[in-house]
Amino acid sequence: VVALSQIDGRNTRRSIQIPVGGISVLSLGPGTTISHSAITSCTRAGATVVFSGAGGAVSYSHATPLTSSAKWAIAQARLVSNERHQRQAALVLYKKQFGIEDMPGGSIRQMRGLEGRTMRNRYQELARKHGVQGFRRDVKSEDAVNASLNVINSILYGCAAAACAAISVNPALGVIHRGDSRSLLFDLADLYKASTALPVAFAAAQKENAVEAARGQLRAAIHKERMLEGMLGALMEILTPHLPSRDDDRLIDDAGEEVEGHRQYGTSDGNE
């Protein structure tokens, strides 16, 4: 990375080495540029490069899967095509979000109500703790807490996108959320909203540059709480029961079974 800055009125230029092999998401803000060689290195390393703007509310990204296998994508298709399986997976994610092992008789409706009460109480608790008067969540508001939350959520979605890209699953096929191209990202980001995102946003609101402070605190939390590992682990937990029995290239067959792929089945009369 080449950084340009001014020191005592003079333009300075310095290079910073970034170990892309250890980065999952690289977020580039307005005014930045990246070379062909650099983006190639990021792609080969499996790093998601996000070009963001509007305070992190708008982003464009590209990621290369770290696996050539389609087994996780097949498991995802099986899960979301079965309502019963999807409800079971939703309960798993809700329990992870609330940090509970079990909730006898728990239904999706109960979990949704619990989520609503948890978030409402968390907002009120943190607002009192940090002396934020009359707070109300509004993505269009420019106050310190809302602006910080917008950026924090954007980063969490970027982390979730990296987890999805790593095993080639589709972010549009959510478990709890549906109908948006980022539905699965919302599911994964929600695992850390109440426990991490909100405390960081309210704590950063007291700083001179709230958004920048929130970004730094969240970056530390991502490493400390191993969020990427947690998101990937949650994905694998709900998908593992639906993995295919085979993990090789194969073709569809008339009998409802599958035959070996990368094999010549043609004969002179057109039959096997």
Side-chain angles (χ1 to χ4, degrees), residues 131-206:
V132 179
Q133 301 295 324
F135 175 78
R136 183 170 182 171
R137 179 64 176 131
D138 182 356
V139 296
K140 296 182 180 180
S141 176
E142 297 182 359
D143 67 89
V145 178
N146 276 303
S148 296
L149 275 174
N150 288 344
V151 171
I152 287 171
N153 288 341
S154 178
I155 295 172
L156 288 180
Y157 299 151
C159 291
C164 291
I167 58 174
S168 297
V169 296
N170 190 339
L173 300 180
V175 176
I176 297 174
H177 293 85
R178 298 182 180 181
D180 191 284
S181 62
R182 301 166 295 170
S183 292
L184 187 55
L185 308 187
F186 299 156
D187 289 343
L188 297 176
D190 279 353
L191 298 177
Y192 299 94
K193 287 283 181 71
S195 62
T196 305
L198 295 186
V200 166
F202 277 91
Q206 311 303 314

Side-chain angles (χ1 to χ4, degrees), residues 43-124:
T43 301
R44 288 174 177 168
T48 298
V49 179
V50 178
F51 293 87
S52 62
V58 179
S59 66
Y60 304 90
S61 64
H62 171 74
T64 301
L66 296 178
T67 174
S68 59
S69 171
K71 65 179 184 179
W72 296 107
I74 293 172
Q76 183 188 28
R78 289 176 172 178
L79 187 157
V80 300
S81 61
N82 185 299
E83 286 288 339
R84 181 173 61 86
H85 292 162
Q86 194 162 11
R87 286 195 297 272
Q88 291 173 343
L91 289 174
V92 170
L93 292 181
Y94 272 128
K95 290 173 184 177
K96 285 184 174 295
Q97 181 179 342
F98 304 135
I100 57 178
E101 292 294 330
D102 196 15
M103 187 175 179
S107 66
I108 298 297
R109 180 174 296 179
Q110 287 176 315
M111 290 295 189
R112 194 165 55 237
L114 178 59
E115 180 184 39
R117 292 190 297 273
T118 299
M119 294 299 289
R120 180 194 62 203
N121 295 338
R122 198 75 171 121
Y123 278 125
Q124 293 175 350

